[in-house]
Amino acid sequence: MIENILWLAVGLMVASSIIPRTLRVRKLVGGIGWGTFSIHWGYQPLHYLEIQDYANVLLTIVVTLFCLLVAYIMYREYKNGPLYIKNREVLHSKFSAQGEADSLDITSMLTSATALGALVYFPFANFTPLNTWIIGGVTSQILWVLQYFDIPAYMKDWNMITLNGYTVEIILACTAIESIALFMGLIGAVRAPFNRLAMAFIASVPVIYILNLIRDVFVVVAYGEQWFGADSFIIAHNYIAKAGSGIALFAISYVVIRILPELFGMIDGLWIIFSQELRSLLHRSGGD
């Protein structure tokens, strides 16, 4: 049931992205899509409560509220006209394309980015053949790198690598498909010349994939060689590898934004619109 809701949300976002900009119904369709998306995320805390992962409980609640806020803003845009950002100023439009060439339709950009990212990620997360294909492929590539450096690892199962009796299981999170989908969604949502889009893609997706293989190889070797004692896997995977991934993604984001400054405009525009809407909601609730 929840998977059907997910795909309905993604389908509505895709529809909103391809409906012509001059038709105000695209905002309504996008708003319904974000509202439906909030149902998917609102269900996730139940799973994380069962496994006592309270950090992700909080994170998914925040994402749910974010989706509801976007849905609310897009509904208001449907009723009153789209909001555009130009020079950090919110411009109100009555569905006219006049003067939009150098301004950004933030909620539509966000919807397109989310739709594209979801279309890249969720098939791998929900369809077994694709899930098995990408995990198995990454597992084989990790083993190839290890054997290239004469490290005596072997494949215990289709997604498990063993070194010195210590086995690491490769799961979807080990493939970097989440980060790849994120950057593909962001890059795909930007209206920019093809050469800059291609440069941003090359600077992010292949780099993320290669760095992820290096991360996975490090975890296997650190655990198999017991570099950090009994807690080698936890230290290598949960601390060192995650910290390294965070630094790498920050650096890649910086490079991509330098290539596509429109992305910074979208992020800055989100902050401006959300701040304005939240202040408006708080003011009205305080007035009531």
Side-chain angles (χ1 to χ4, degrees), residues 166 222-236:
Y166 297 95
Y223 184 45
E225 299 288 350
Q226 290 290 282
W227 284 355
F228 310 109
D231 295 327
S232 289
F233 181 82
I234 294 175
I235 294 173

Side-chain angles (χ1 to χ4, degrees), residues 69-128:
L69 181 58
V70 177
Y72 169 75
I73 293 172
M74 293 195 80
Y75 177 72
R76 286 195 58 191
E77 288 183 298
Y78 165 70
K79 298 289 288 185
N80 304 320
L83 300 176
Y84 294 92
I85 297 295
K86 182 178 181 180
N87 300 326
R88 293 186 59 83
E89 181 183 358
V90 180
L91 305 178
H92 192 79
S93 171
K94 286 292 184 181
F95 317 119
S96 170
Q98 187 175 14
E100 296 172 13
D102 58 347
S103 57
L104 299 175
D105 182 353
I106 300 300
T107 55
S108 291
M109 289 179 67
L110 177 63
T111 301
S112 297
T114 304
L116 181 56
L119 287 175
V120 173
Y121 172 73
F122 286 118
F124 291 100
N126 292 285
F127 297 145
T128 301

Side-chain angles (χ1 to χ4, degrees), residues 12-261:
L12 289 167
M13 290 183 184
V14 171
S16 176
S17 300
I18 62 179
I19 292 174
R21 287 164 59 92
T22 53
L23 298 179
R24 65 176 180 175
V25 71
R26 71 191 175 100
K27 293 292 186 179
L28 178 61
V29 173
I32 296 172
W34 280 100
T36 308
F37 206 35
S38 74
I39 297 174
H40 165 76
W41 287 107
Y43 179 81
Q44 301 309 309
L46 300 177
H47 164 70
Y48 291 116
L49 280 172
E50 289 179 358
I51 61 176
Q52 298 182 338
D53 187 344
Y54 300 113
N56 273 327
V57 169
L58 179 60
L59 178 62
T60 49
I61 290 174
V62 170
V63 173
T64 301
L65 295 174
F66 174 84
C67 292
L68 288 172
L69 181 58
V70 177
Y72 169 75
I73 293 172
M74 293 195 80
Y75 177 72
R76 286 195 58 191
E77 288 183 298
Y78 165 70
K79 298 289 288 185
N80 304 320
L83 300 176
Y84 294 92
I85 297 295
K86 182 178 181 180
N87 300 326
R88 293 186 59 83
E89 181 183 358
V90 180
L91 305 178
H92 192 79
S93 171
K94 286 292 184 181
F95 317 119
S96 170
Q98 187 175 14
E100 296 172 13
D102 58 347
S103 57
L104 299 175
D105 182 353
I106 300 300
T107 55
S108 291
M109 289 179 67
L110 177 63
T111 301
S112 297
T114 304
L116 181 56
L119 287 175
V120 173
Y121 172 73
F122 286 118
F124 291 100
N126 292 285
F127 297 145
T128 301
L130 285 174
N131 184 279
T132 302
W133 174 76
I134 192 171
I135 293 174
V138 169
T139 303
S140 298
Q141 290 160 15
I142 294 169
L143 184 64
W144 182 87
V145 173
L146 291 167
Q147 292 179 343
Y148 180 83
F149 289 102
D150 294 323
I151 298 172
Y154 66 92
M155 193 177 294
K156 183 178 181 180
D157 202 349
W158 70 277
N159 68 331
M160 295 183 180
I161 296 177
T162 298
L163 176 61
N164 297 330
Y166 297 95
T167 300
V168 174
E169 180 181 4
I170 307 302
I171 61 175
L172 188 63
C174 303
T175 66
I177 188 63
E178 299 100 326
S179 299
I180 290 172
L182 172 64
F183 278 90
M184 288 185 68
L186 290 172
I187 293 169
V190 170
R191 301 174 69 185
F194 177 78
N195 64 324
R196 288 202 286 120
L197 293 175
M199 288 175 59
F201 178 88
I202 293 170
S204 57
V205 173
V207 174
I208 289 170
Y209 192 84
I210 293 170
L211 290 178
N212 179 71
L213 285 179
I214 295 172
R215 182 195 70 159
D216 291 340
V217 167
F218 164 74
V219 172
V220 171
V221 175
Y223 184 45
E225 299 288 350
Q226 290 290 282
W227 284 355
F228 310 109
D231 295 327
S232 289
F233 181 82
I234 294 175
I235 294 173
H237 182 270
N238 293 6
Y239 297 104
I240 298 177
K242 284 191 175 181
S245 297
I247 294 170
L249 287 176
F250 180 83
I252 293 169
S253 299
Y254 175 78
V255 173
V256 170
I257 289 175
R258 289 294 301 269
I259 298 171
L260 293 175

